Amino acid sequence: AEVYKQLGDKERVISILEKGKKIDATNTLILLNLADIYRALNRFDDAFSELKIAFANPELNIDEKIRTVLSLFPLFSSDHKFKIFAEELAAIIVSAHSQDPKSYAVYGDVLFQENKYQEALQAYKNALKLNNQVFHLWEQVIQIEIGEKNFQQAIADSELALTIFPNQITLHLFIGIAYSQLQQHKKA
């Protein structure tokens, strides 16, 4: 298949990979190569089908899965289906890697991009339950809470985050904004 890929004979590559897939339908190398070829041919639905199968395999490296999902972000504005693809793939990552905080973080990022803030908030909080040492997750949580006018929770989460990240000035800013919105200007 590699020889035909280098020669640019994508249809021949697909044929060979499909034969390999009949022998081993869960081989992630075959599935990812098929997805790449389909994507190059703008056959995005076919690529997505292959990626769903590959992503369900917990043996496939989570970072590779995350890179693939993040690569869809620039396509969100061109076609709504890429948002659907990204959300479904991110949900599959969570299923396959439910004990890895990165799975929830990328799922939260996808949901955030889709303006599904409450769902994103829950995904970020799930990631923090597994690893509360990631400042970016705290920022996302608190920004959503402020955006959703949940100022008391934003204050509580900012203060909790300050116990972990005492030198993060941004957290003090979040606390000040939240208190200001609650008309508690002395505390702000």
Side-chain angles (χ1 to χ4, degrees):
E2 275 303 310
V3 172
Y4 291 115
K5 190 174 185 180
Q6 289 176 358
L7 293 173
D9 190 350
K10 292 178 175 111
E11 292 303 323
R12 195 85 179 258
V13 173
I14 290 171
S15 174
I16 291 168
L17 291 172
E18 286 292 346
K19 287 177 186 173
K21 188 176 160 185
K22 287 179 182 170
I23 296 168
D24 185 359
T26 60
N27 183 308
T28 56
L29 186 60
I30 291 171
L31 296 167
L32 293 175
N33 275 305
L34 272 170
D36 284 344
I37 295 292
Y38 287 142
R39 194 172 180 177
L41 294 171
N42 293 325
R43 292 172 52 183
F44 297 112
D45 292 330
D46 293 329
F48 177 62
S49 295
E50 303 302 335
L51 288 173
K52 286 194 313 187
I53 299 166
F55 276 39
N57 185 339
E59 300 293 317
L60 181 60
N61 182 290
I62 188 171
D63 293 323
E64 186 169 340
K65 294 175 184 180
I66 290 171
R67 275 191 298 277
T68 301
V69 169
L70 295 178
S71 75
L72 295 173
F73 280 26
L75 304 173
F76 281 10
S77 61
S78 66
D79 192 335
H80 181 70
K81 74 178 170 187
F82 293 113
K83 289 181 182 180
I84 296 168
F85 290 168
E87 185 174 343
E88 192 168 335
L89 290 173
I92 293 169
I93 295 172
V94 169
S95 294
H97 303 276
S98 62
Q99 296 305 306
D100 191 323
K102 291 187 278 187
S103 67
Y104 294 100
V106 74
Y107 188 48
D109 290 344
V110 170
L111 294 167
F112 189 86
Q113 291 294 318
E114 294 184 64
N115 302 321
K116 295 180 178 179
Y117 299 121
Q118 287 303 311
E119 293 174 62
L121 179 64
Q122 188 56 54
Y124 291 135
K125 286 189 173 192
N126 286 339
L128 286 171
K129 286 178 190 171
L130 295 171
N131 181 0
N132 69 357
Q133 301 296 310
V134 182
F135 180 68
H136 168 72
L137 295 174
W138 286 103
E139 272 186 313
Q140 290 294 91
V141 163
I142 297 163
Q143 286 177 357
I144 291 170
E145 290 168 345
I146 289 173
E148 298 288 304
K149 300 185 182 344
N150 191 350
F151 302 118
Q152 291 291 357
Q153 191 61 52
I155 292 166
D157 285 335
S158 294
E159 289 175 347
L160 179 59
L162 272 171
T163 65
I164 302 164
F165 304 101
N167 296 326
Q168 288 292 339
I169 296 170
T170 309
L171 296 172
H172 293 284
L173 176 64
F174 289 147
I175 291 170
I177 291 169
Y179 274 125
S180 176
Q181 292 298 315
L182 292 171
Q183 303 302 314
Q184 295 180 23
H185 300 292
K186 285 187 180 183
K187 288 185 176 181

